[in-house]
Amino acid sequence: LVAAGTASASVYSNGPFQTGTGDGFGGGNTSAIEQPAFNTFGYTASTASSFAVADDFTVTDAAGWSLNSLTVYAYQTQGNPNPVSTFTDIRVSIFASNPNGTQNAPTYGDFTTNRLLSTAFTGVYRVTATTLTNGQRGIMSITADLSDIPDLAPGTYWVGWTLGGTSTSGPFAVPVVPNPSGANAQQRNFGATPTNWATVNAGTATAAQDMAFDIDYNVVPAPGAAALLGLGALAGLRRRR
């Protein structure tokens, strides 16, 4: 009975980005562009230049999800290999539908509040298949606090983010590799008109790419779980008596 009211954290992953192990700069790992179909290292998601990216996720549990955090993956190109995170800012919005459709304003969150919890080097470098040991694009994890977002009911949502850092390069969001069927990530210059979300420019490919991100969440306890928890505690108390 007690277990019925206990929620443990789970992680929704939108997909991997690492393609090689130990084959990169200094023995690091790699995330290689899927050439020739794609020719883009990353997609601009810069607060300074008013760009954001967004991608969808689906809440599958009947009682919904209570969000804890969002982790995205991005880089700022460095002149010399320097696997230390330069990120200082992440701003997040949640949309109830594709922002490139009927809903351009977020349901929750905004692109003005810095939600940064932590950031670190992932040990992976963004490269091409012919420049595996290039160390200029160290991919960083950037984690945002989403604990104030109301519980999400079952359904498909879109999460958008924009990033800031101490380097003048980017920031650039890293896509999922290999790119999945039905990829549909969006990008927006949110300093312009409110309706200009568009499918990310995927280089020479005709299809979009998906963005790499993870959402840490708890499943909302089913109705009555709290009551069961209380009954379990009461039964234990009676037994102890």
Side-chain angles (χ1 to χ4, degrees):
L1 289 175
V2 174
T6 302
S8 59
S10 300
V11 176
Y12 169 91
S13 176
N14 204 47
F17 57 86
Q18 181 178 326
T19 59
T21 301
D23 57 348
F25 175 80
N29 303 323
T30 55
S31 173
I33 301 173
E34 293 182 90
Q35 296 173 299
F38 302 103
N39 63 6
T40 304
F41 282 102
Y43 298 91
T44 304
S46 168
T47 299
S49 57
S50 299
F51 273 86
V53 294
D55 211 338
D56 62 328
F57 67 97
T58 300
V59 175
T60 55
D61 293 277
W65 289 359
S66 177
L67 305 186
N68 299 316
S69 63
L70 166 74
T71 299
V72 304
Y73 302 93
Y75 65 88
Q76 292 194 284
T77 308
Q78 305 298 309
N80 298 304
N82 183 19
V84 176
S85 182
T86 56
F87 288 94
T88 58
D89 196 333
I90 176 171
R91 308 176 188 191
V92 181
S93 291
I94 303 289
F95 301 85
S97 61
N98 189 334
N100 193 20
T102 58
Q103 181 177 333
N104 302 116
T107 304
Y108 307 115
D110 54 58
F111 289 132
T112 59
T113 303
N114 185 359
R115 294 173 172 269
L116 182 67
L117 281 177
S118 64
T119 180
F121 178 46
T122 63
V124 182
Y125 294 91
R126 186 69 170 150
V127 296
T128 69
T130 58
T131 61
L132 291 177
T133 57
N134 183 288
Q136 294 179 306
R137 299 175 181 86
I139 298 173
M140 309 296 164
S141 64
I142 306 98
T143 299
D145 180 11
L146 299 186
S147 60
D148 65 327
I149 302 295
D151 292 347
L152 299 183
T156 297
Y157 299 83
W158 287 71
V159 58
W161 63 92
T162 181
L163 303 164
T166 57
S167 172
T168 57
S169 164
F172 301 102
V174 173
V176 171
V177 184
N179 195 47
S181 174
N184 56 0
Q186 302 289 306
Q187 185 181 45
R188 178 191 175 192
N189 178 350
F190 61 88
T193 58
T195 58
N196 68 337
W197 284 97
T199 301
V200 296
N201 176 9
T204 60
T206 57
Q209 293 200 272
D210 267 1
M211 296 295 109
F213 68 88
D214 299 317
I215 293 176
D216 183 280
Y217 67 92
N218 291 89
V219 176
V220 175
L228 288 173
L229 177 62
L231 287 172
L234 180 58
L237 177 62
R238 289 174 175 170
R239 283 194 294 269
R240 286 193 295 273
R241 287 178 177 175

